[in-house]
Amino acid sequence: MDTLIFATNNENKVREIRHALNNQFHIISLKEAGILVDIPEPHDTLEDNAREKSLVIHQLTGKDCFSEDTGLEVEALDGAPGVLSARYAGPEQDASKNMEKLLSALEGITNRKARFRTVISLIYHGKEYQFEGICPGVILDKKQGEQGFGYDPLFIPDGAGKSFADMSMEEKNTYSHRKKATAKLAEFLMTRHGKN
Ligand code: IMP
């Protein structure tokens, strides 16, 4: 079975991709690969940050690997917080402070259009491939719901009528940016591997 390193230590993300790949690939996290480096995200696009992460892991291991980067892009803020989504209100990566900062930035603004965007960078047999997943929606003017993480309480995906934080994981996955990018990665790998 082919082994691929996923440049993350987030167990939920690892489980999700194993599931999407029908357990036909051996997916291991950084920790499971024995890699303890803190990978920087120095660039100003999701594409460049994702590429940097998978290149670093590929250079360290010589193995096939992939990484992902996600941002919330708000139309009225010219795409901010974007690549800075995790650190919007400071390096401590505090979700509540990030949401407060977003609400202040949008005070009095009627255009609430936004989207989550995920970019996956895969290095497979020495070549890089990218897969994108987009979830369009709107930013609320106050938090709604208790589930999820990050900006979930402030984001209603188009067609949903409720925030990500008011959804079960299964329901969120029917809209999710990350799920869409993951599905494209899975399709690519299964096709390449003759397992479709
Ligand atoms: P990451 O690249 O998946 O770590 O995402 C970067 C940041 O974007 C996170 O720290 C969150 O603030 C935000 N984010 C990413 N995906 C989601 C989501 O599905 N819901 C809410 N916020 C998210």
Side-chain angles (χ1 to χ4, degrees):
M1 199 188 277
D2 278 1
T3 296
L4 285 148
I5 301 171
F6 184 6
T8 185
N9 279 319
N10 182 323
E11 271 310 312
N12 288 323
K13 292 182 181 175
V14 177
R15 222 174 302 128
E16 181 180 290
I17 185 73
R18 279 184 187 138
H19 183 256
L21 290 169
N22 263 330
N23 294 317
Q24 296 198 56
F25 290 80
H26 185 223
I27 305 296
I28 56 175
S29 66
L30 288 179
K31 209 162 117 198
E32 288 163 339
I35 299 165
L36 300 171
V37 288
D38 200 13
I39 308 170
E41 295 187 344
H43 302 291
D44 56 11
T45 65
L46 299 173
E47 283 79 2
D48 287 348
N49 278 339
R51 182 179 299 112
E52 171 106 9
K53 282 190 262 186
S54 46
L55 283 177
V56 167
I57 299 309
H58 186 64
Q59 277 157 10
L60 275 174
T61 64
K63 293 213 162 61
D64 290 338
C65 58
F66 61 94
S67 67
E68 52 126 69
D69 204 17
T70 297
L72 175 65
E73 300 175 338
V74 179
E75 190 172 281
L77 303 177
D78 296 326
V83 275
L84 293 177
S85 294
R87 296 162 276 148
Y88 189 38
E92 64 274 25
Q93 307 198 7
D94 181 313
S96 297
K97 287 189 185 154
N98 286 341
M99 284 190 284
E100 274 165 36
K101 181 165 175 180
L102 180 61
L103 287 178
S104 305
L106 286 175
E107 217 170 283
I109 295 178
T110 50
N111 176 6
R112 313 293 289 194
K113 279 191 205 157
R115 62 182 194 175
F116 277 111
R117 197 164 71 88
T118 293
V119 175
I120 292 178
S121 161
L122 167 73
I123 297 185
Y124 189 70
H125 295 188
K127 254 186 93 176
E128 198 229 4
Y129 304 87
Q130 293 204 337
F131 308 94
E132 185 186 56
I134 290 176
C135 176
V138 290
I139 303 295
L140 289 160
D141 53 17
K142 60 177 185 314
K143 295 187 215 170
Q144 268 178 31
E146 305 290 332
Q147 320 282 325
F149 71 101
Y151 298 88
D152 278 349
L154 289 182
F155 185 81
I156 297 195
D158 285 350
K162 60 179 166 179
S163 82
F164 265 165
D166 266 329
M167 295 183 189
S168 65
M169 177 95 86
E170 287 72 31
E171 196 175 4
K172 182 176 169 184
N173 274 342
T174 64
Y175 299 96
S176 159
H177 42 292
R178 191 172 297 102
K179 190 77 181 181
K180 288 176 187 160
T182 300
K184 289 184 189 169
L185 169 71
E187 194 185 335
F188 175 90
L189 286 172
M190 307 277 252
T191 307
R192 279 303 174 105
H193 208 64
K195 287 183 175 172
N196 238 356

